[in-house]
């Protein structure tokens, strides 16, 4: 089954309990942490701080989380759960994320958003004149593959028809085969396609693709058909290099927009305002930075800094990472997110956005 992280992040970003700060449990767990004391210790600490319905919800939620973990011990996982809302969402992760257990009014999505940014899914087409394999890769793993092959006449005729007629027939057969591959690809193509194989078939194939698919090709690799393993590694590497380049370009774009006072917001306060209004096209976030802030239980206002009670309505407040709050708004409004460790983002207030409108 295809894991659509975009879809999952969107769903998670829409989960929010207005009545309680302590409804959703988020757990990121390394596979080798399963037999350690991490979970037990955090669970005990959190439980001791909760009361009444919130405590009961936490206990029930942890029970279903434990049940899931027991059956899935062999992966790095992220779990988002709430017994109260009957939610248990789980994702196996391609890399280890620091263990964390968080109890909050909404799922904690930042580490997952970063994985989504760094591990883009793509389609890989490995192709020769009579053989094709199409792979869907997601989170660095093969999720689906389809084999196609056809008996195409050998390059050299063995008698019978004339050389010219033989070549015509052979060309026709190759064209028919590649057409089949195009049709198969149309059904499953991701937003990014890598094309690979020996010789010129892949170029002929590229020229046969409808425009909308041709535009999705991010790389063409010349490689022998036997090197499948090598090819998979190489294509994952290419896609991750491309990701790094994209995040550098995003910071450049942000800088240029700031210089010409264009469609841009930067710094926590301005970016938060823009993302709340649904203005953000592309959000750019410094990788590991957190901004201490608060959210009001009553009016849902989020601000940087710390206060004892909401200065607007006197409601009680809870401490938040302002960047996490911004990310949740971004996912809800279909903004793209780029994580970066470029120093320039630090100087611009750790976070910024390219806007759809102003
Ligand atoms: Zn308030």
């Amino acid at each position: 089954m295809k894991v659509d992280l975009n879809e999952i992040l969107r769903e998670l970003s829409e989960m929010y309990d207005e009545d309680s700060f302590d409804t959703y449990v988020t757990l990121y767990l390394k596979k080798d942490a399963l037999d350690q004391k991490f979970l037990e210790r955090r669970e005990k600490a959190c439980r001791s701080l909760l009361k009444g319905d919130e405590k009961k919800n936490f206990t029930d939620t942890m029970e279903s989380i434990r049940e899931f973990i027991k059956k899935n011990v062999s992966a790095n996982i992220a779990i988002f759960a709430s017994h109260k809302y009957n939610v248990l969402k789980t994702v196996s992760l391609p890399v280890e994320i620091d263990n964390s257990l968080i109890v909050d009014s909404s799922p904690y999505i930042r580490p997952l958003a970063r994985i989504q940014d760094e591990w883009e899914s793509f389609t890989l087409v490995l192709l020769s004149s009579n053989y094709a394999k199409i792979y869907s890769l997601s989170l660095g793993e093969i999720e689906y593959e389809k084999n196609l092959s056809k008996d195409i006449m050998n390059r050299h005729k063995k008698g019978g028809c004339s050389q010219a007629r033989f070549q015509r027939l052979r060309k026709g057969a190759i064209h028919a085969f590649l057409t089949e591959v195009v049709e198969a690809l149309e059904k499953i193509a991701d937003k990014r396609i890598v094309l690979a194989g020996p010789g010129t078939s892949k170029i002929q194939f590229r020229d046969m693709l409808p425009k909308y698919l041709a535009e999705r090709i991010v790389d063409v690799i010349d490689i022998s058909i036997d090197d499948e393993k090598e090819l998979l590694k190489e294509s994952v590497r290419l896609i991750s290099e491309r990701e790094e380049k994209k995040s550098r370009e995003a910071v450049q774009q942000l800088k240029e927009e700031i210089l010409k006072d264009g469609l841009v917001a930067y710094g926590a306060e301005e970016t938060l305002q823009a993302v709340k209004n649904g203005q953000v096209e592309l959000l750019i976030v410094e990788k590991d930075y957190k901004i201490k802030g608060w959210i009001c239980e009553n009016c849902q206002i989020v601000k940087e800094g710390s206060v004892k009670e909401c200065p607007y309505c006197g409601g009680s407040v809870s401490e938040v990472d302002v960047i996490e709050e911004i990310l949740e708004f971004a996912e809800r409004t279909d903004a793209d997110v780029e994580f970066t460790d470029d120093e320039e983002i630090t100087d611009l207030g750790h976070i910024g956005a390219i806007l759809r409108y102003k």
Side-chain angles (χ1 to χ4, degrees):
M1 205 182 68
K2 193 156 166 51
V3 180
D4 188 344
L5 271 195
N6 256 327
E7 184 73 34
I8 293 174
L9 280 165
R10 167 106 207 205
E11 261 177 65
L12 292 171
S13 73
E14 278 162 4
M15 295 176 189
Y16 187 86
D17 189 343
E18 289 186 11
D19 306 322
S20 164
F21 283 138
D22 307 310
T23 305
Y24 287 95
V25 176
T26 302
L27 175 67
Y28 290 90
L29 201 62
K30 299 179 193 176
K31 62 178 168 207
D32 62 5
L34 291 173
D35 51 6
Q36 292 173 13
K37 297 284 174 206
F38 166 79
L39 197 57
E40 213 172 293
R41 192 170 156 266
R42 281 292 294 154
E43 193 179 340
K44 204 174 150 196
C46 292
R47 186 179 293 120
S48 71
L49 295 171
L50 296 167
K51 289 183 206 94
D53 287 349
E54 285 168 355
K55 186 172 201 159
K56 184 175 183 323
N57 175 60
F58 179 74
T59 305
D60 294 342
T61 306
M62 286 311 295
E63 198 173 304
S64 42
I65 288 178
R66 282 188 177 289
E67 226 167 86
F68 177 84
I69 291 174
K70 243 188 259 162
K71 287 181 231 146
N72 297 271
V73 284
S74 61
N76 302 304
I77 42 174
I79 301 178
F80 309 88
S82 164
H83 185 263
K84 181 175 173 186
Y85 289 107
N86 199 15
V87 172
L88 183 75
K89 267 225 159 310
T90 63
V91 186
S92 345
L93 307 173
V95 283
E96 290 191 343
I97 297 281
D98 286 343
N99 292 328
S100 57
L101 179 103
I102 290 153
V103 187
D104 201 357
S105 54
S106 58
Y108 178 60
I109 61 170
R110 182 170 178 172
L112 194 65
R114 184 161 156 190
I115 284 180
Q116 195 243 350
D117 178 43
E118 287 170 4
W119 294 81
E120 285 183 312
S121 61
F122 64 99
T123 304
L124 172 65
V125 184
L126 177 60
L127 184 83
S128 73
S129 59
N130 64 350
Y131 174 84
K133 212 161 175 179
I134 305 175
Y135 305 89
S136 297
L137 284 104
S138 175
L139 300 178
E141 305 251 357
I142 300 171
E143 289 217 307
Y144 174 83
E145 53 182 275
K146 185 174 175 64
N147 278 300
L148 293 118
S149 66
K150 195 163 230 169
D151 266 337
I152 306 275
M153 296 161 274
N154 281 326
R155 206 169 284 277
H156 303 290
K157 79 178 199 94
K158 292 195 181 81
C161 58
S162 74
Q163 182 68 33
R165 180 170 149 71
F166 173 82
Q167 284 308 336
R168 246 192 341 271
L169 286 171
R170 183 177 138 80
K171 259 188 163 171
I174 292 174
H175 191 270
F177 173 63
L178 294 182
T179 305
E180 239 177 76
V181 184
V182 172
E183 280 164 11
L185 181 62
E186 280 189 296
K187 284 187 198 129
I188 56 171
D190 207 310
K191 285 182 203 139
R192 293 154 289 273
I193 299 171
V194 175
L195 214 53
T200 55
S201 299
K202 56 185 180 297
I203 305 304
Q204 187 185 346
F205 179 74
R206 186 184 62 193
D207 295 342
M208 287 167 64
L209 287 175
K211 193 164 169 259
Y212 82 97
L213 283 183
E215 282 169 350
R216 295 184 193 177
I217 294 177
V218 294
D219 225 309
V220 179
I221 309 174
D222 200 44
I223 195 163
S224 125
I225 213 107
D226 320 316
D227 276 345
E228 250 175 77
K229 263 197 190 141
E230 196 47 45
L231 172 68
L232 288 169
K233 255 199 266 165
E234 173 72 5
S235 54
V236 169
R237 197 185 57 78
L238 273 170
I239 292 287
S240 108
E241 255 180 33
R242 185 176 162 272
E243 166 49 37
E244 272 169 42
K245 193 166 151 245
K246 251 177 62 192
S247 84
R248 278 198 303 276
E249 283 169 358
V251 177
Q252 281 314 306
Q253 195 191 349
L254 188 70
K255 258 173 63 186
E256 279 161 31
E257 291 291 328
I258 291 172
L259 286 172
K260 64 181 191 202
D261 201 11
L263 288 169
V264 69
Y266 55 98
E269 197 174 331
E270 214 175 282
T271 308
L272 178 63
Q273 209 47 54
V275 79
K276 267 182 151 173
N277 295 338
Q279 288 166 280
V280 172
E281 169 90 33
L282 173 65
L283 181 71
I284 302 152
V285 182
E286 184 176 330
K287 264 180 192 167
D288 294 312
Y289 197 77
K290 289 187 177 181
I291 298 175
K292 194 175 163 186
W294 54 270
I295 183 169
C296 168
E297 186 168 7
N298 184 35
C299 59
Q300 308 294 326
I301 263 181
V302 178
K303 286 249 177 200
E304 221 179 315
S306 86
V307 291
K308 287 220 165 60
E309 58 180 35
C310 176
Y312 303 95
C313 74
S316 58
V317 295
S318 152
E319 196 182 308
V320 293
D321 170 19
V322 179
I323 291 186
E324 166 75 13
E325 299 301 312
I326 292 175
L327 273 171
E328 286 173 20
F329 280 116
E331 295 295 342
R332 261 176 247 166
T333 53
D334 279 331
D336 284 327
V337 181
E338 276 297 331
F339 288 84
T340 178
D341 39 24
D342 198 310
E343 281 169 16
E344 283 170 318
I345 195 72
T346 314
D347 303 335
L348 297 172
H350 312 282
I351 191 159
I354 308 289
L355 306 181
R356 296 178 174 134
Y357 61 91
K358 211 168 182 174

